[in-house]
Amino acid sequence: MTIEDYYGDKYVILKQIEKNLLELIENYPRQEELEGVQPIIYCKSRIKSPDSMRTKLRKQGFSEDSQTALEQMHDAVGIRIICSFVDDVYEVAEWLCGRDEYEVTEKKDYIAWPKPNGYRSLHLILRMKEGEGKGIQAEIQIRTIAIDFWAALEHQMKYKHQVEHEKMMWEELKCCADEIASVDMSMQTIRDFIRGEKAAVKK
């Protein structure tokens, strides 16, 4: 089944929501940074595939049709924003939460409270407030480039089966996530130091 077949006439609406969100993020106020680093490095987006959506619906005990998917699930449209620093993640999230185009229905901070496997990211669930997509939800994940590197590899390994010494592998992945989080904090400290030094020179 193609993605167009599954979502039917709602597919065009989902693509428009995806386009609108990407254009909105593109207009994030990118003031020139003292250290020359932009807050948003790049974005990724997708419409959830029929297989992934139906599997998720089935696991949660819902009917697997697209209408149920759009009514019960919040991630038919998914946007991932990759930032330079941890502070940028929170600043971008705050900016998104202040927009009028949609309602932020949920915020999950896995940076302050990481998942048991070490995953760190900030998730926003948005509900469209007007237009043909009114009521449809979208999920935005905001994370640093360092944790995105870890998450991409962890996602691939998660779907490997019959891995020898699997417990040890997950323990090592958790250690890697913790080390990456430490690197993120160190980079943030360096950035803050550079900003403080340059601000002092200007005075």
Side-chain angles (χ1 to χ4, degrees):
M1 177 183 291
T2 68
I3 193 167
E4 292 89 349
D5 289 337
Y6 181 68
Y7 290 109
D9 58 359
K10 292 294 193 296
Y11 178 69
V12 174
I13 297 173
L14 294 175
K15 289 298 292 183
Q16 187 61 49
I17 291 173
E18 179 187 31
K19 180 176 180 288
N20 291 346
L21 288 173
L22 288 173
E23 289 177 351
L24 174 67
I25 295 163
E26 183 64 29
N27 289 323
Y28 179 73
R30 300 168 183 245
Q31 297 178 354
E32 184 177 353
E33 295 290 325
L34 291 172
E35 67 280 4
V37 180
Q38 290 292 347
I40 296 176
I41 301 176
Y42 57 87
C43 290
K44 302 175 183 177
S45 66
R46 60 102 183 99
I47 306 299
K48 200 172 189 71
S49 71
D51 286 346
S52 294
M53 183 61 83
R54 292 169 72 179
T55 297
K56 188 171 183 178
L57 288 164
R58 185 165 57 251
K59 285 181 178 179
Q60 297 191 28
F62 292 115
S63 172
E64 297 177 25
D65 61 281
S66 62
Q67 181 176 343
T68 302
L70 297 181
E71 290 175 353
Q72 301 295 334
M73 299 293 107
H74 58 245
D75 62 345
V77 179
I79 308 288
R80 185 172 299 150
I81 304 174
I82 310 304
C83 295
S84 299
F85 296 94
V86 173
D87 276 4
D88 294 329
V89 171
Y90 286 104
E91 288 170 7
V92 170
E94 183 178 3
W95 179 76
L96 287 170
C97 288
R99 308 297 301 181
D100 295 326
E101 295 91 334
Y102 45 76
E103 174 190 5
V104 178
T105 62
E106 190 172 1
K107 179 179 179 181
K108 297 180 180 179
D109 188 347
Y110 297 119
I111 297 175
W113 296 276
K115 289 188 175 183
N117 66 350
Y119 174 80
R120 291 167 168 84
S121 185
L122 197 152
H123 294 191
L124 299 176
I125 308 303
L126 317 177
R127 180 182 287 118
M128 304 304 118
K129 294 170 64 175
E130 55 188 30
E132 290 184 305
K134 183 178 180 180
I136 294 177
Q137 298 185 88
E139 180 179 65
I140 295 186
Q141 301 177 356
I142 316 170
R143 62 178 67 149
T144 66
I145 190 170
I147 200 65
D148 190 58
F149 156 73
W150 176 89
L153 295 180
E154 188 270 349
H155 179 75
Q156 293 179 51
M157 293 179 185
K158 185 165 60 177
Y159 292 99
K160 297 290 184 182
H161 300 287
Q162 298 178 341
V163 177
E164 190 176 2
H165 307 302
E166 184 175 357
K167 184 174 183 293
M168 183 183 71
M169 180 189 75
W170 291 116
E171 289 173 349
E172 286 298 315
L173 276 169
K174 172 62 166 59
C175 289
C176 288
D178 293 342
E179 289 170 2
I180 287 173
S182 178
V183 169
D184 264 339
M185 291 299 100
S186 295
M187 294 298 290
Q188 183 67 56
T189 299
I190 293 169
R191 180 199 214 187
D192 293 343
F193 175 77
I194 292 172
R195 280 179 163 177
E197 288 285 297
K198 291 193 173 182
V201 168
K202 283 188 173 183
K203 289 183 178 179

